[in-house]
Amino acid sequence: MLSFSKNMAILTSIDATLNTSFESGSNLDNDSTLTFVLHPTFSGARAAEFSFSGRDTTNGATHEGDKKTFNFTLLTNSLTKEQINGFYSIDIIINARGRDHYAGKLETIFHFDDGTFAGSPDFSFEVGTYHESNQTGQLNNIIKFL
């Protein structure tokens, strides 16, 4: 039987930095949207997410070499550090009109209500679409706090 400590740290926010690859064609067209989803590795139930479009002019990340900082929107207020570590993943999904390619690295820092924080390994990713209104995604590695 599992027992849980009464002092488990609850997730309060996720800070992220997205570094777009310098590789040619790693930009986000203005008619494309990029979405990041935190979810249990073996379930599609969303716990947190963030989306932006190529029209988004805040903090870059629409051209090669851009850097964008953002916070995931939490969709639950009860996730603990123990629940996330080793059991949750981040999907990166591109939804584009026509052909689009986007690559880079995602850095995340998870903040908890007891004042602690944990980083996860940086995720390198590459997503692309090749037909009108196509959507593809990449499941990144399972979250393992450093």
Side-chain angles (χ1 to χ4, degrees):
M1 180 167 103
L2 288 175
S3 65
F4 294 99
S5 166
K6 291 182 180 181
N7 296 324
M8 288 196 290
I10 303 292
L11 179 67
T12 57
S13 66
I14 305 170
D15 297 335
T17 301
L18 176 64
N19 294 292
T20 305
S21 172
F22 282 99
E23 178 184 332
S24 178
S26 291
N27 59 331
L28 192 65
D29 293 348
N30 68 5
D31 60 357
S32 299
T33 302
L34 202 62
T35 302
F36 303 87
V37 179
L38 175 71
H39 64 90
T41 298
F42 299 107
S43 165
R46 293 178 178 209
E49 64 185 8
F50 180 81
S51 291
F52 76 97
S53 72
R55 290 184 209 65
D56 179 359
T57 58
T58 61
N59 297 328
T62 57
H63 299 96
E64 293 95 340
D66 280 352
K67 181 177 188 175
K68 183 176 188 70
T69 57
F70 59 91
N71 296 91
F72 278 70
T73 300
L74 298 182
L75 304 176
T76 180
N77 61 0
S78 62
L79 273 180
T80 67
K81 187 185 295 185
E82 292 81 6
Q83 288 173 314
I84 297 167
N85 193 24
F87 301 101
Y88 273 67
S89 299
I90 294 178
D91 283 349
I92 300 174
I93 303 163
I94 190 170
N95 190 344
R97 294 182 185 267
R99 186 176 178 146
D100 203 352
H101 172 263
Y102 195 75
K105 180 174 73 169
L106 178 68
E107 303 167 12
T108 53
I109 299 176
F110 293 72
H111 297 267
F112 298 92
D113 67 350
D114 64 354
T116 62
F117 59 92
S120 186
D122 298 346
F123 297 131
S124 293
F125 69 92
E126 186 171 354
V127 291
T129 59
Y130 302 99
H131 301 290
E132 191 70 21
S133 298
N134 198 8
Q135 176 175 304
T136 60
Q138 177 179 331
L139 171 65
N140 275 302
N141 296 329
I142 296 172
I143 302 293
K144 294 275 192 180
F145 296 135
L146 303 174

